[in-house]
Amino acid sequence: MKRVLGISFGELMLKGANRKLFTDRAIKKIKRAIRSFHYDQLYMQMGKFYIDADPAQYPEMTEAIRKVFGIVNISPSIRVEKDMASIEEGVLEEIKQYQGQTKTFKVFVNRVDKSFTPKSPELSRELGAFILRNSEGLTVDIHNPQISVYVDIKEKAYIYTRRIPGIGGLPIGSSGKGMVLLSGGIDSPVAAFMVAKRGVEISGVHFHSYPFTSDRAFEKVRDLAEFLTEYIGGMTLYSVNLLPIQKAIGENCREREMTILSRRFMMRIADRIAKEKGAQMLITGESLGQVASQTIEGLTASGAVTDLPILRPLVGLDKTEIIKIAEEIGTYETSILPFEDCCTVFLPKRPVTKPRLSDLERSEEALDVEGLVKQAVEEMEVFRIGD
Ligand code: ATP
Ligand code: MG
């Protein structure tokens, strides 16, 4: 008899042509989540993953594994040999925790190994009767039981009564690749989290204005990326100095257009890196109406320089809802640290709030747009976070 942790992904994930790819990825993500623990074995058996380790670690391990997208639930289980006596012994051990409690139960048998006898209905009945004989306070309720006693018959038998929900979502990588424009603020890490949750593999690009922005400001962004990697696994972070571009804008364009023109350059550069690295979408923390620059005209103007889809998952959320998610994923405290952002360094006194595309394009005629983009990409730094 051995205590193991059972891990279930959504069923769809374990079927179909991509199964092998999915399984390899899932194993990698689980391994990463438990990399700071010692464990004897991580294996897959008929549709579920199992971890074999010192049970004292299971609560902490469960917390770490819960963060892997696509996991539906985690069940601390008892693994026994596949014979009636061992299964009964395992059931007895599992229901010990409910002894003396007045509760109802039902046995759910999942006979994955179809050669096993007795068949499910009979086995459920037998085990139900066994529990009644060997417990105090427990009674059967087949419609609305308080305790579900699961018995999975596979190569071994697995018995469990607790299913701890995962955070859901889809496994990373199942929905393609995206590039998030990651500032040091509250919003963009949350945007990255939300899109990653739907299975998108994330990399990030951050713009700074060094030396006007400090090393500490960049450290902050790295820390934010580090928090994200707890969920999304390792990520690549591209760091781009926007200062030459901001200087060029400052010298050649209207002051009021500084923010929106900078934003258009950010989009162009993100577009360029994304295409080079195989990302199929851009992701931003933009919303509507939150700040002066976030008007539909502003979003249209910044989006017009790329033909990649731009995902803005926060448009449906209020700031309080965004903050709540930031707190849950652990980025909030870091996001509110008061370091300067490249946009605030060159903040115009009265920014245009409803820019016209034709005006912006005319302003940009004074700039060597392609040369500036090219230079910024050539000089960018690349960091691997969280591996
Ligand atoms: P955030 O909290 O994410 O900084 P915000 O509410 O401060 O967002 P803005 O500063 O207008 O909003 O930025 C909107 C979006 O543009 C950000 O969510 C981010 O995706 C992108 N962005 C802004 N500044 C940067 C930057 N320095 N580096 C990378 N992306 C940025
Ligand atoms: Mg910001």
Side-chain angles (χ1 to χ4, degrees):
M1 185 152 59
K2 179 95 184 87
R3 286 185 185 274
V4 296
L5 272 188
I7 303 167
S8 306
F9 280 82
E11 259 185 58
L12 274 180
M13 301 306 149
L14 294 164
K15 294 184 181 137
N18 290 327
R19 181 182 161 151
K20 168 92 177 75
L21 185 68
F22 164 72
T23 310
D24 291 349
R25 272 205 207 113
I27 288 186
K28 239 175 93 185
K29 297 292 178 210
I30 297 171
K31 274 191 178 157
R32 191 181 179 284
I34 57 172
R35 69 194 187 288
S36 62
F37 298 89
H38 174 79
Y39 56 95
D40 300 320
Q41 229 190 337
L42 165 63
Y43 63 98
M44 192 176 169
Q45 195 167 104
M46 297 172 161
K48 251 193 190 185
F49 296 90
Y50 295 94
I51 296 172
D52 199 332
D54 174 2
Q57 303 185 107
Y58 285 164
E60 272 181 69
M61 279 180 133
T62 302
E63 266 318 295
I65 301 164
R66 275 191 69 232
K67 295 180 173 172
V68 176
F69 292 127
I71 290 178
V72 174
N73 59 53
I74 300 162
S75 29
S77 311
I78 292 173
R79 182 184 70 201
V80 292
E81 294 304 320
K82 212 171 20 179
D83 59 71
M84 212 45 203
S86 305
I87 293 172
E88 286 182 349
E89 200 187 331
V91 167
L92 205 55
E93 178 66 23
E94 179 62 17
I95 60 165
K96 246 191 202 163
Q97 57 188 309
Y98 307 106
Q99 280 300 5
Q101 301 179 13
T102 322
K103 284 203 163 144
T104 57
F105 76 94
K106 177 178 177 179
V107 178
F108 294 84
V109 169
N110 180 13
R111 204 169 48 108
V112 186
D113 172 4
K114 296 294 176 206
S115 69
F116 185 84
T117 51
K119 290 195 169 166
S120 304
E122 197 182 331
L123 183 57
S124 309
R125 267 198 308 278
E126 278 186 28
L127 291 176
F130 174 80
I131 293 173
L132 286 174
R133 281 200 305 280
N134 289 282
S135 65
E136 254 169 63
L138 298 186
T139 52
V140 174
D141 181 346
I142 57 164
H143 300 296
N144 205 2
Q146 290 165 307
I147 305 167
S148 300
V149 183
Y150 297 99
V151 180
D152 295 351
I153 311 284
K154 303 180 170 182
E155 280 163 44
K156 306 259 180 181
Y158 296 86
I159 298 141
Y160 51 98
T161 53
R162 287 192 301 140
R163 292 211 277 204
I164 300 153
I167 56 165
L170 298 176
I172 294 284
S174 54
S175 307
K177 290 187 185 180
M179 173 141 318
V180 61
L181 284 82
L182 194 63
S183 70
I186 297 169
D187 298 334
S188 44
V190 174
F193 172 83
M194 291 188 67
V195 174
K197 188 173 175 191
R198 295 309 300 165
V200 175
E201 187 182 328
I202 301 283
S203 50
V205 53
H206 174 70
F207 299 93
H208 61 85
S209 314
Y210 190 81
F212 286 83
T213 56
S214 63
D215 282 334
R216 281 295 292 124
F218 181 67
E219 282 302 309
K220 174 181 169 182
V221 176
R222 278 193 71 143
D223 289 348
L224 290 173
E226 193 87 42
F227 281 114
L228 285 175
T229 60
E230 282 198 34
Y231 297 90
I232 69 179
M235 75 181 268
T236 305
L237 180 62
Y238 303 94
S239 172
V240 176
N241 192 340
L242 204 64
L243 187 58
I245 291 173
Q246 289 170 311
K247 278 186 173 158
I249 297 172
E251 282 158 19
N252 297 290
C253 309
R254 280 188 289 268
E255 197 237 358
R256 297 187 62 196
E257 292 176 345
M258 173 56 92
T259 307
I260 183 65
L261 291 178
S262 303
R263 193 57 52 82
R264 276 164 67 85
F265 274 95
M266 286 188 192
M267 285 292 187
R268 286 189 183 100
I269 293 166
D271 171 276
R272 191 70 53 96
I273 306 171
K275 283 172 182 163
E276 248 171 51
K277 308 295 174 189
Q280 303 144 293
M281 64 196 98
L282 302 179
I283 302 151
T284 77
E286 288 167 314
S287 191
L288 275 172
Q290 222 189 64
V291 291
S293 63
Q294 292 177 359
T295 57
I296 189 61
E297 292 82 359
L299 299 193
T300 306
S302 60
V305 295
T306 173
D307 55 6
L308 288 174
I310 303 171
L311 303 193
R312 300 179 174 98
L314 306 190
V315 284
L317 300 179
D318 292 340
K319 194 72 184 187
T320 50
E321 294 171 305
I322 297 168
I323 289 174
K324 192 156 165 265
I325 299 174
E327 284 171 340
E328 273 163 21
I329 63 176
T331 52
Y332 183 70
E333 293 297 326
T334 304
S335 285
I336 58 174
L337 293 175
F339 294 110
E340 60 301 321
D341 180 59
C342 70
C343 299
T344 48
V345 174
F346 291 92
L347 201 63
K349 280 191 230 47
R350 281 184 53 238
V352 279
T353 52
K354 295 190 173 184
R356 282 217 324 241
L357 203 50
S358 53
D359 292 344
L360 300 176
E361 283 167 353
R362 199 160 329 114
S363 300
E364 285 169 350
E365 278 169 17
L367 304 170
D368 173 13
V369 172
E370 175 54 27
L372 288 166
V373 169
K374 206 163 157 242
Q375 188 200 349
V377 173
E378 272 167 17
E379 288 173 4
M380 77 184 174
E381 293 176 279
V382 184
F383 300 88
R384 243 341 256 182
I385 315 270
D387 280 328

